[in-house]
Amino acid sequence: MARRIFIVLAAALFSLASGANVITQRSVVNGVTVAVTAGNLGPDASVWDFAVVLRAADNRILSDDLVKNAVLVDPRGKRHQVLIWEGAAAESQHRAGVLKFIALSPRPEYIELRIVRAGEKKPRTFSWLLGSGMMASR
């Protein structure tokens, strides 16, 4: 009985610890919110994924081409192109999907996702420290 309780408590603590790594970063510029949540950035992953949500406060259509306008930047400044966008087409004021990149090897200490949007002076930047776990870095 005590062993079962320990296993249940250990599983609950593991779930909480894993959930602590799920951090959504948001950027709001000119009434458009871009929110990014890193998915699997583990050392054994061959593909890294980032859930991306774009939402306009008004009725404008979000026509961002995230395959062309997003890039992953490593600590040396090297840019890595998107492998694929799996999500909504550019037809509404709310879009959601997943950007996928080939995992970087060797695994860097940190990464930065940059999304360039038309009409904005600077790219939206989202970064994560990967060293001993995954943490948002702002």
Side-chain angles (χ1 to χ4, degrees):
M1 179 71 161
R3 182 179 163 104
R4 282 188 187 160
I5 292 172
F6 174 76
I7 291 171
V8 169
L9 287 174
L13 289 173
F14 179 74
S15 295
L16 289 173
S18 297
N21 288 336
V22 178
I23 299 170
T24 300
Q25 299 179 52
R26 288 179 180 76
S27 169
V28 181
V29 176
N30 298 328
V32 175
T33 301
V34 178
V36 179
T37 305
N40 184 5
L41 301 182
D44 296 331
S46 59
V47 174
W48 287 349
D49 51 29
F50 301 85
V52 179
V53 176
L54 296 96
R55 183 182 309 255
D58 53 19
N59 289 327
R60 79 181 106 164
I61 302 297
L62 297 170
S63 59
D64 302 70
D65 183 343
L66 293 172
V67 172
K68 291 182 181 175
N69 297 333
V71 66
L72 199 59
V73 181
D74 67 25
R76 297 180 316 236
K78 183 176 179 187
R79 297 167 183 258
H80 303 269
Q81 299 302 311
V82 174
L83 178 63
I84 192 168
W85 163 256
E86 294 177 341
E91 299 174 354
S92 72
Q93 66 194 43
H94 178 257
R95 296 179 63 201
V98 177
L99 278 174
K100 294 189 175 200
F101 295 84
I102 296 194
L104 305 186
S105 181
R107 182 180 162 95
E109 286 295 313
Y110 70 91
I111 54 166
E112 181 177 275
L113 175 65
R114 294 182 188 164
I115 299 175
V116 176
R117 297 202 67 250
E120 294 182 6
K121 293 180 181 181
K122 299 186 324 185
R124 309 279 184 112
T125 60
F126 308 91
S127 55
W128 292 267
L129 299 172
L130 303 177
S132 61
M134 185 177 66
M135 296 175 49
S137 165
R138 272 253 180 193

